[in-house]
Amino acid sequence: MIDAPSPNHDERGVPVSMVVLHYTGMKTGAEALARLRDPAAKVSAHYMVEEDGRLYRLVPEERRAWHAGVAEWHGRRDVNAMSVGIEIVNPGHEFGYRDFPEVQMQTVLELLRQIRRRYDVAPENVVGHSDVAPDRKDDPGERFPWDRLAREALALAPWDGRAPDDVPEAPEALRRLARLGYGVEAFGSGPCVTAFQRRFAPTLLGEGLGRRTRAAIGAVTNR
Ligand SMILES: [Zn+2]
């Protein structure tokens, strides 16, 4: 672990109950690290994981880092106060979105195991930035291997492709998304459906709230 302190933090005020995963979305990790430590940028995260697996610590976990912005999960708005924020280096959709290397994922997984030992974070509260800010954000994106996290119960598993016996109609599907944590009222149903697809059923990305997506929502929220 490499200490690379950022000045961009303040008091948390509430205990940690969430983890928010991001991609950096910049051309290089070095560029992202500089921005996350720049007082003028007013952004930060607790950790940044380089593509070669190096782990940087920017903000102590007991402080509130500034990574989520305007966000909501389970009706709660101060996502920064509740969460540990992890930036994962990847150029993202703007600069050449690519797979997350194995060595990078090993560091992410080990970090999540340690965080779980320290706090009582429920798997459903380990989320992507796009889950809590679906109107603005796409990260960590549809290539992020949530199944790797789910195998160790560090996060909910993606949809396994099986339809439930009862496929929910649209209103019920949206109620289920809200129960899962999505800010359907705050951000609208469209962005939340897209965020759900990105997170739980990437092969359905962009399909809207059709039968297959409703089946996926039903299956994920039935278990
Ligand atoms: Zn982000």
Side-chain angles (χ1 to χ4, degrees):
M1 180 129 67
I2 303 161
D3 271 308
S6 167
N8 301 329
H9 56 81
D10 55 13
E11 224 167 291
R12 209 185 248 298
V14 297
V16 172
S17 57
M18 282 184 79
V19 175
V20 181
L21 303 181
H22 303 257
Y23 67 45
T24 48
M26 297 183 79
K27 282 179 191 146
T28 66
E31 208 181 323
L33 187 64
R35 178 169 157 77
L36 293 165
R37 303 180 67 193
D38 176 2
K42 293 189 163 58
V43 294
S44 62
H46 294 92
Y47 300 100
M48 189 187 89
V49 182
E50 256 289 7
E51 285 184 299
D52 64 6
R54 272 176 301 165
L55 174 63
Y56 293 90
R57 176 166 53 193
L58 285 76
V59 173
E61 285 178 3
E62 60 271 22
R63 304 284 293 172
R64 176 170 69 172
W66 305 339
H67 52 95
V70 176
E72 185 182 308
W73 192 245
H74 283 299
R76 294 179 62 182
R77 295 284 172 90
D78 198 349
V79 171
N80 283 338
M82 298 188 287
S83 65
V84 172
I86 303 172
E87 287 280 357
I88 305 167
V89 174
N90 190 300
H93 295 89
E94 194 174 346
F95 296 109
Y97 190 39
R98 55 195 184 215
D99 285 340
F100 296 85
E102 176 59 25
V103 64
Q104 185 182 37
M105 282 309 301
Q106 289 299 335
T107 298
V108 170
L109 289 165
E110 180 52 30
L111 180 58
L112 290 172
R113 289 180 204 119
Q114 290 173 11
I115 289 169
R116 179 168 61 185
R117 264 176 242 136
R118 288 193 279 275
Y119 314 101
D120 193 18
V121 179
E124 70 177 54
N125 291 335
V126 177
V127 300
H129 197 188
S130 57
D131 296 314
V132 298
D135 57 331
R136 301 182 293 123
K137 294 293 176 180
D138 299 332
D139 62 310
E142 60 279 5
R143 288 174 187 265
F144 188 75
W146 290 99
D147 58 319
R148 299 285 303 277
L149 279 58
R151 237 177 276 162
E152 302 182 41
L154 294 165
L156 294 186
W159 182 42
D160 63 7
R162 267 175 280 184
D165 295 334
D166 266 331
V167 174
E169 295 299 327
E172 171 62 12
L174 294 174
R175 276 195 292 276
R176 301 259 196 120
L177 280 187
R179 216 182 305 145
L180 193 52
Y182 287 95
V184 176
E185 270 194 25
F187 303 117
S189 52
C192 291
V193 168
T194 301
F196 171 86
Q197 290 166 336
R198 217 184 274 290
R199 163 68 179 81
F200 289 99
T203 58
L204 307 183
L205 192 53
E207 279 193 11
L209 196 52
R211 185 179 170 82
R212 294 209 300 166
T213 294
R214 287 187 281 110
I217 292 171
V220 165
T221 55
N222 267 348
R223 46 189 197 207

